[in-house]
Amino acid sequence: MIKKPIVAANWKMYKTPQEGVFFISELNNLLLDKEKPSIIFCPPFTSLFHMNEMISDLDISLGAQNVYFEKDGAFTGEISMSMLKSCGVQYVIVGHSERRHIFNESNKDTNKKLHTVLENDIVPILCVGEKLEDRESGNTRMILMEQLKDGLVGINKDMIDRMIIAYEPVWAIGTGVNALPSQVEESHAMIWEILLELYDNNIKNNIPILYGGSVKPDNSEELIRTKGVDGFLIGGASLNLDMFSKIIEIVHNKFMR
Ligand code: PEP
């Protein structure tokens, strides 16, 4: 089965609601009537409501960058799944390296969030990836195994079939240094092997595995041609209209040939 390629934008803590709406309308003008990959925007929470009103007629989906695992309650500063759903969110990034390493989120936290997202029929984009020191000491597989095994506790095979995974080596995020295609191919294959191992070969081959880490127009052609890459999760370059639309076209061209 051919998976439709995915290009997801992680806007992190950038862009006001007005800037977000403007970006989407400009992107739509650029890509109007063109066939596109699946495009997912993950703006800051404050932009979701306005961007949702804007995208209803466009072939674009909305994702959130985070969620809290409780349904509601006295959790100052957190956001619930039902709040996100009411803003049209269809995807949630879980376990991004900035959540893990700046906000000390553990695999256990990630796991609770995954359950919340899936129980709400929303698609999680689970991020995994090793730090530079893990790669240099030959521990990439061990880290990916830990993040997947502990992150996926209690996630059954039907649930995993509804997820997206993003391989995001920490050393490549926001650094301008992307992983080499050979490293990406190897890590994506490792992720797939680990999933097969965890689920006794009992999962469908349609879980998209995205690559993320300094994707730019000039490296996206090579990266999207890399075996095992079903699309991208993009930070920096997704904030720039010109760069982001070029990447979308490159991804589309690769898959349509
Ligand atoms: C990200 O934030 O998920 C990311 C991949 O960032 P960048 O593209 O800037 O490396």
Side-chain angles (χ1 to χ4, degrees), residues 10 12 96 98 168 172-175 212-216 233-237:
N10 173 16
K12 312 190 188 213
H96 189 276
E98 285 150 19
E168 296 215 310
I173 299 181
T175 58
S214 296
V215 173
K216 303 277 183 290
L233 178 56
I234 307 172

